Amino acid sequence: MQFEMEMDDLDSKLNETFDGKVVRKDLLHRIKKGTNVPTFVLEFLLARYCASNEPAEIQAGMEAVLATLDENYVRPDEANAAQSRVATKGKHKFIDKVHVRYVEKDKRHWAALENFGSQKVAIAEKFYRDTDRLLEGGIWAEVTIAHNDIDEDKYAFYVEDLRPIQLSRFNFEAYCEGREKLSRDDWLDGVLRTVGLEPSKLSPRLKLHFIARLAPLVEANFNFVELGPRGTGKSYFFSEFSPYSTLISGGQATKATLFYNNARGKIGLVGFWDTVAFDEVGGIKIKDPDTIQIMKDFMANGRFSRGVEIIANASMAFVGNIDQSIEQIVRSAKHDLFLPLPPQFDLAVMDRFACYLPGWEMPKTSSAYLTNRFGLITDYLAEAFHYQLKHNNRYEEVSSRLKLGSAVEGRDEKGIKKTLCAILKILHPDGAPNDDEFFEYVEYAIECRRRVKEQMNKRKPDDEFALIDLSYFDPEGNEIVVHCPETKGVSATLEPNRRTLSENFDGDNHEDVNQSDGQTLVQKEATISVAPKEPAADLKEVHYSINYGDTGHTYDSIVGPYLQNAKEVLVEDPYIRAQHQIVNFVRFCETVVKYPTVRKIHLVTSYDDKTDMALLNEKMDELKQSLLEVDVVFTVELSKVLHDREIQIDNGWTVKIGRGLDFYQKPEGWFTIGANDFSLRKCLETKVDIFRDSGS
């Protein structure tokens, strides 16, 4: 074997900046071909034995890695032999994944090794106290298992020593400090080398494609789809790169497996993984229609109901193969680029995709694209992504910096911004990019969302998704429309022929046929007489009084009708500081977020010398994070002097309530009617004036 390598500039920078957290990737490729050990485990051993650039030392280190795997790695079919070895020798060191769980019946904690075959291995408190993740999904570790010779004890094995292979602690600040020392391009290339690719072989566009593949691992509730030819490595990042991702390979996807098992009272895969990825998505079999409905709910906002309200952060990634020519598909009047998706994936599912990565542009996996240079240890980068998915929200930063064009609708905006957030987390965890970098990412994110909308527009027989010219405004105020390269100038996609519901369709036309119970969706729709929608009643200016003791007045009934098509709401109320006043304001926000066009709520309120500012800030921060989860930016402006009470809506309407939001009486008791349902809560006397700005 040849181990000589002259370090280039990026190798030197990575070794200097992330000392102890880098590894030569060519060594990984050589070992990986002969074993099914996870990548991050192999890199742990390589970092220990091959942390050198001297050929002789690397040769000896490689031999040590192979010997360690042969002696210590537990293979699933060798569990009985491993237990026998411990019983015979008294103890032995293994490389395995270790879980710790508390068993209520036994009133103690037990360890379980994934491949060792025992579910009741005794473990001392010091191990799981110092390494939290043993209790939260388990970790790969070097673990010394000893045999217990005391006959009275109810266990045969115990953990004598444990050294985590995955990081047991991660310092995000140190990670950001390291990133800050590298340029954007150096860091981008460093990330690509970390996942095993040689960036010098890739174009700038291909580099962004590979970064986009990582997006579901770093952005919560990110819905991603990649369809393309076989052999391009679509599923690798979800099966090998991160210990926080799981890959479902075909078969049936049930609501109990994915979301919640009612019989066992346990959450499914979305509660345990950062990313749930579906390989060979075209082969997914979903028999229960409830599964698709729950999936739609979860993809929309990260929550669903199965008897209980469940909230989870998992992203969903769908990867599959396209066997047809892309050029023929985009020029076809019958077919679209969602062709490989299963028939149960209707337009409502597709509309929830934030990013459609053009898999047909990705190169076939080959050694020509693999790097033989240094990159970060895979687990270190995976930990950084896991931390940011849980703790780092860049949505407000993106929203404040980006102005989108009028064709960008609600789900377009959400998808574009979530893709942007993911790219910023990956490439700029330490701060904001410059304008050139930021708008490069903007164009890419808009393209990825436009690809989704173009194909939905092609499939839909009416103009629901016809606004496909998604655009943004650059720093000079110029509006720039973004196109997808495969469809630019192709009228069959950009100006599809509209089909009527009464038309007869060819049964092999995939995008027109959506099988359900043996009947096509189009045929079903053709039998339904759809009445035209009644126009919304014209809103009028109103002025009325609420009398003392009146009921039936809520924020929904007073303000709700005037929130149609609103994007921003400004609330001026000097008294949002006491507990019940803040609770009222939260109820008002709950009314606002029911209108999907609203993207920002700004509160102007006041305080006095008696106000507990720390407590007020804490509650407002909690509300801010909650609103960000539904893609609404919340800002607060505090003033010592404020007297006006009004709600200004950017569609031109102003709502003035004499008492502000606090016009309810305190209930006579918390177990009386009206205590919880505010439509039954008695009111204080106040006036309501709703009028339209004369300039609107």
Side-chain angles (χ1 to χ4, degrees):
M1 290 186 179
Q2 295 295 320
F3 294 109
E4 293 186 30
M5 185 194 79
E6 183 177 348
M7 291 203 298
D8 66 8
D9 185 50
L10 182 54
D11 289 330
S12 300
K13 289 178 180 177
L14 289 174
N15 275 276
E16 180 182 343
T17 306
F18 294 97
D19 184 33
K21 298 181 179 67
V22 294
V23 67
R24 268 181 59 173
K25 296 294 174 171
D26 58 327
L27 306 182
L28 171 68
H29 301 322
R30 296 185 191 194
I31 295 180
K32 184 67 178 171
K33 292 178 181 178
T35 180
N36 62 351
V37 183
T39 296
F40 50 86
V41 174
L42 294 178
E43 290 190 347
F44 168 82
L45 296 172
L46 288 170
R48 172 187 290 179
Y49 294 112
C50 301
S52 170
N53 207 30
E54 293 297 326
E57 292 181 16
I58 292 176
Q59 175 70 52
M62 290 284 282
E63 293 174 0
V65 170
L66 293 171
T68 299
L69 289 173
D70 186 59
E71 179 70 13
N72 303 119
Y73 177 66
V74 184
R75 290 168 178 80
D77 59 347
E78 299 174 350
N80 191 55
Q83 292 183 19
S84 176
R85 182 182 299 181
V86 174
T88 302
K89 293 174 55 181
K91 63 180 177 182
H92 189 77
K93 181 185 292 183
F94 297 102
I95 294 174
D96 204 348
K97 189 170 186 179
V98 185
H99 309 257
V100 175
R101 72 195 193 287
Y102 179 75
V103 178
E104 186 177 3
K105 182 178 69 173
D106 299 338
K107 297 182 179 180
R108 65 170 299 167
H109 289 78
W110 293 106
L113 277 66
E114 198 156 275
N115 296 329
F116 182 69
S118 176
Q119 297 296 311
K120 282 196 171 184
V121 179
I123 185 168
E125 181 185 353
K126 65 178 181 179
F127 295 117
Y128 55 82
R129 182 190 62 224
D130 296 339
T131 309
D132 298 337
R133 281 175 42 198
L134 281 168
L135 297 161
E136 300 171 357
I139 63 169
W140 281 82
E142 287 183 310
V143 54
T144 300
I145 301 296
H147 189 260
N148 179 28
D149 296 322
I150 301 174
D151 293 336
E152 290 78 11
D153 290 341
K154 295 182 179 180
Y155 57 90
F157 308 105
Y158 65 91
V159 175
E160 184 178 271
D161 192 27
L162 185 145
R163 294 182 58 194
I165 288 176
Q166 293 175 238
L167 295 175
S168 58
R169 295 286 187 272
F170 174 73
N171 188 330
F172 183 64
E173 289 72 22
Y175 172 78
C176 290
E177 289 172 6
R179 161 63 184 95
E180 194 175 6
K181 295 176 182 177
L182 300 175
S183 69
R184 192 289 299 264
D185 290 342
D186 279 345
W187 179 252
L188 172 58
D189 289 351
V191 171
L192 293 173
R193 284 187 177 175
T194 296
V195 299
L197 297 165
E198 179 47 49
S200 62
K201 306 288 182 65
L202 305 173
S203 67
R205 180 171 172 80
L206 274 179
K207 289 180 181 182
L208 273 183
H209 285 342
F210 281 109
I211 294 300
R213 276 185 174 176
L214 296 169
L217 301 170
V218 74
E219 177 68 14
N221 303 128
F222 185 81
N223 303 314
F224 170 90
V225 61
E226 179 183 354
L227 304 172
R230 291 172 173 80
T232 58
K234 292 186 290 293
S235 61
Y236 168 79
F237 289 179
F238 307 119
S239 62
E240 289 284 337
F241 174 77
S242 173
Y244 297 103
S245 174
T246 187
L247 183 69
I248 300 174
S249 299
Q252 293 192 15
T254 67
K255 58 191 175 189
T257 301
L258 291 174
F259 300 109
Y260 194 80
N261 188 319
N262 279 49
R264 299 174 62 194
K266 289 189 175 181
I267 194 169
L269 295 175
V270 297
F272 291 100
W273 301 95
D274 288 356
T275 306
V276 176
F278 298 82
D279 197 10
E280 307 293 348
V281 65
I284 291 178
K285 298 179 178 65
I286 303 175
K287 295 182 179 179
D288 186 352
D290 283 352
T291 303
I292 284 291
Q293 187 54 53
I294 295 170
M295 181 182 287
K296 291 175 188 176
D297 293 342
F298 182 75
M299 292 173 71
N301 52 32
R303 64 184 68 200
F304 61 92
S305 178
R306 289 280 289 144
V308 292
E309 187 78 11
I310 304 294
I311 300 174
N313 291 319
S315 293
M316 305 199 88
F318 303 88
V319 297
N321 302 319
I322 289 184
D323 296 320
Q324 295 81 6
S325 159
I326 299 303
E327 184 176 359
Q328 289 178 0
I329 291 175
V330 300
R331 294 183 183 281
S332 165
K334 294 183 177 181
H335 300 291
D336 58 63
L337 292 173
F338 282 132
L339 187 64
L341 295 184
Q344 294 89 347
F345 278 34
D346 58 16
L347 288 166
V349 173
M350 298 170 189
D351 198 18
R352 286 156 168 78
F353 292 140
C355 172
Y356 184 157
L357 193 148
W360 50 88
E361 294 186 21
M362 304 300 275
K364 292 277 188 178
T365 302
S366 74
S367 56
Y369 290 98
L370 299 179
T371 188
N372 62 353
R373 298 195 168 275
F374 284 93
L376 295 173
I377 294 173
T378 299
D379 192 44
Y380 182 64
L381 193 61
E383 283 296 330
F385 289 177
H386 174 66
Y387 177 91
Q388 292 182 92
L389 183 139
K390 297 287 187 182
H391 304 291
N392 194 355
N393 195 317
R394 307 290 290 271
Y395 204 89
E396 185 172 355
E397 172 189 342
V398 166
S399 296
S400 65
R401 197 169 174 182
L402 176 63
K403 183 180 179 182
L404 295 166
S406 58
V408 176
E409 298 173 296
R411 286 213 169 102
D412 303 327
E413 181 178 1
K414 180 178 180 180
I416 291 165
K417 289 182 177 179
K418 286 186 79 69
T419 303
L420 268 172
C421 289
I423 294 174
L424 293 188
K425 289 180 182 181
I426 296 168
L427 297 181
H428 301 273
D430 56 322
N434 62 41
D435 278 351
D436 289 341
E437 294 164 345
F438 181 76
F439 287 103
E440 176 188 359
Y441 309 147
V442 168
E443 290 213 7
Y444 185 84
I446 292 177
E447 178 198 317
C448 289
R449 174 59 192 180
R450 174 168 178 154
R451 187 169 291 109
V452 173
K453 201 169 188 185
E454 280 185 353
Q455 305 312 310
M456 291 193 300
N457 181 49
K458 192 174 183 181
R459 182 173 291 208
K460 193 77 163 65
D462 59 28
D463 290 335
E464 180 179 356
F465 302 110
L467 298 178
I468 59 174
D469 281 337
L470 308 187
S471 63
Y472 71 96
F473 291 87
D474 66 14
E476 287 73 42
N478 303 309
E479 184 174 9
I480 299 174
V481 176
V482 178
H483 298 272
C484 299
E486 71 275 5
T487 59
K488 190 172 184 179
V490 180
S491 59
T493 294
L494 302 183
E495 299 173 1
N497 293 326
R498 293 303 182 202
R499 299 176 294 279
T500 65
L501 295 179
S502 60
E503 230 178 295
N504 292 321
F505 295 101
D506 186 359
D508 63 359
N509 182 352
H510 183 97
E511 98 282 13
D512 292 334
V513 179
N514 200 335
Q515 294 291 344
S516 177
D517 300 326
Q519 190 179 23
T520 68
L521 176 62
V522 171
Q523 288 170 339
K524 282 184 178 180
E525 290 180 344
T527 66
I528 301 171
S529 176
V530 181
K533 290 184 178 180
E534 290 292 331
D538 290 335
L539 296 173
K540 298 178 180 179
E541 294 190 0
V542 293
H543 307 272
Y544 60 91
S545 294
I546 298 174
N547 297 318
Y548 186 89
D550 279 357
T551 60
H553 299 284
T554 66
Y555 305 132
D556 282 323
S557 65
I558 298 172
V559 184
Y562 298 88
L563 290 168
Q564 295 177 27
N565 302 317
K567 292 186 177 181
E568 295 187 15
V569 178
L570 167 65
V571 180
E572 294 186 350
D573 192 321
Y575 298 107
I576 310 289
R577 55 178 94 144
Q579 173 75 12
H580 73 282
Q581 294 166 345
I582 297 173
V583 169
N584 283 342
F585 182 69
V586 172
R587 285 183 179 273
F588 172 78
C589 291
E590 290 172 342
T591 290
V592 173
V593 300
K594 293 173 185 175
Y595 293 81
T597 57
V598 177
R599 286 290 169 266
K600 185 174 182 179
I601 300 173
H602 182 64
L603 170 65
V604 182
T605 189
S606 66
Y607 63 96
D608 57 25
D609 295 335
K610 297 179 182 179
T611 305
D612 185 338
M613 296 304 298
L615 187 61
L616 179 62
N617 287 331
E618 179 183 335
K619 292 176 179 177
M620 291 301 175
D621 285 344
E622 184 177 348
L623 177 58
K624 179 184 292 187
Q625 291 304 314
S626 174
L627 286 167
L628 280 174
E629 291 178 6
V630 291
D631 303 332
V632 175
V633 175
F634 174 51
T635 53
V636 184
E637 181 182 336
L638 294 176
S639 171
K640 263 216 163 188
V641 181
L642 181 66
H643 301 291
D644 287 342
R645 294 180 177 92
E646 66 180 26
I647 301 163
Q648 297 177 16
I649 308 171
D650 70 341
N651 58 14
W653 288 101
T654 296
V655 180
K656 281 196 171 187
I657 305 174
R659 289 181 175 270
L661 298 178
D662 190 14
F663 61 84
Y664 292 107
Q665 295 183 30
K666 184 178 179 181
E668 296 177 2
W670 294 110
F671 300 98
T672 60
I673 295 298
N676 295 296
D677 187 341
F678 271 40
S679 67
L680 302 173
R681 177 77 70 88
K682 294 179 180 179
C683 299
L684 298 167
E685 184 176 347
T686 189
K687 288 185 177 181
V688 177
D689 296 289
I690 304 176
F691 53 89
R692 192 172 180 83
D693 183 356
S694 58
S696 298

